[in-house]
Amino acid sequence: MKFVSFNIQYGVGLDGVYDPKRIANAVKGADIVAFQEVSRNLPKNSQADLPAVFSDLMPDYFPAFGPGTDTDAGSEIINGTARIRRMQFGNMILSRYPILAIRNLLLPRTRTYDKLNIQRSALEALIATPSGPIRVYSVHLDHRHPGERISQIAFLKDRATLYGVEGGAVTGGGELGFADIPHTDDYVIMGDFNMLPESPEYIAMVGASDVYYGRTPRATDPTDSLSCLGSRVAGDFTWEEPGKPEIRQYLDYCFVSGSMVGRLGNGWVDQDCIASDHKPIWVEVE
């Protein structure tokens, strides 16, 4: 089963060209896809409806979209009828397998005064895979403030690790006439975390590394898939500043629950992809 995470920069590539088709081609062959920076009515891409675009480009996938930011974009009354137009910016999950339930988790944020700070979110999808249910999260953290990222990570880890206590999207659905959804400890958290390996935010996510034993998979901390597999090497990067190839950073990750570490098969970054300023990150799970 192949997972891929890709911050698509609202459909605009490293070359400045808007081309959602090459984004869909970049994730071809994946079973579960997590996109970040998916937009509706954003001026940067001529107000494209990207959730609809990718649903059309990938018709054999079940789609789910969760906006973090949702603001008015010119709604008006026309001939007595309200015409609603919203600017939405968030995350998307596309799955070859049915999506049983979703939650759009709004992450903690603080106000800025003269620099961009949008409402960030994590889209949670409970997916019925052939080997059983699994939770998948598509995540995009703050890009400016390490302290804000740490608070967002704390919130996200609580939702992932306390899922069995909180119950996910619904419990006791029989009272409303539909079947209860299954619950599972297995999860995959993918996305643009805007943090460097071994930074304070990274350690907040995966825990500190013991001098002798390194990091041991545990129920309280997600595991960095590519690091665990030894697939991340010096010089790897997942983001490049457009027009400045000398500025490159490793910002994107695929984390798995400790219960899934034994099923990790392979992982890599598609360094050749130019469909976005970020690179797709792939993980195979047995």
Side-chain angles (χ1 to χ4, degrees), residues 2-8 11 13 19-35 54 57-58 61 96 268-283:
K2 293 182 180 180
F3 296 80
V4 60
S5 177
F6 195 8
N7 180 326
I8 64 168
D19 187 355
K21 288 184 179 179
R22 66 179 172 180
I23 291 172
N25 287 334
V27 299
K28 188 175 181 180
D31 296 297
I32 297 175
V33 179
F35 283 150
F54 287 114
L57 289 173
M58 304 169 70
Y61 287 78
R96 291 193 186 277
W268 68 95
V269 177
D270 182 359
Q271 302 279 6
D272 296 327
C273 180
I274 64 164
S276 169
D277 58 343
H278 286 253
K279 307 296 183 183
I281 180 168
W282 291 77
V283 170

Side-chain angles (χ1 to χ4, degrees), residues 1-5 30-32 188 190 223-233 236 250 253-256 260-270 280-286:
M1 189 159 52
K2 293 182 180 180
F3 296 80
V4 60
S5 177
D31 296 297
I32 297 175
V188 178
M190 301 184 283
T223 295
D224 180 352
S225 299
L226 268 65
S227 177
C228 180
L229 291 166
S231 300
R232 187 172 68 232
V233 298
D236 280 355
Y250 198 104
Y253 301 84
C254 178
F255 300 100
V256 299
M260 291 185 63
V261 169
R263 295 166 57 192
L264 290 174
N266 194 13
W268 68 95
V269 177
D270 182 359
I281 180 168
W282 291 77
V283 170
E284 292 180 346
V285 175
E286 300 295 342

Side-chain angles (χ1 to χ4, degrees), residues 105-186:
L105 306 172
L106 302 183
L107 304 177
R109 66 176 294 267
T110 53
R111 178 185 178 186
T112 54
Y113 290 97
D114 63 342
K115 300 296 182 182
L116 178 69
N117 185 14
I118 62 175
Q119 175 64 60
R120 304 287 180 163
S121 61
L123 179 62
E124 173 193 89
L126 179 66
I127 298 175
T129 76
S131 58
I134 187 172
R135 286 179 279 134
V136 176
Y137 298 81
S138 182
V139 180
H140 193 191
L141 300 189
D142 179 73
H143 67 300
R144 290 193 180 275
H145 186 39
E148 186 136 300
R149 290 194 288 273
I150 287 175
S151 67
Q152 291 171 345
I153 286 169
F155 178 90
L156 177 62
K157 286 177 66 176
D158 279 349
R159 303 292 75 73
T161 60
L162 296 176
Y163 185 86
V165 176
E166 297 177 350
V170 62
T171 51
E175 289 193 11
L176 292 178
F178 59 91
D180 260 339
I181 59 175
H183 289 264
T184 176
D185 290 332
D186 294 344

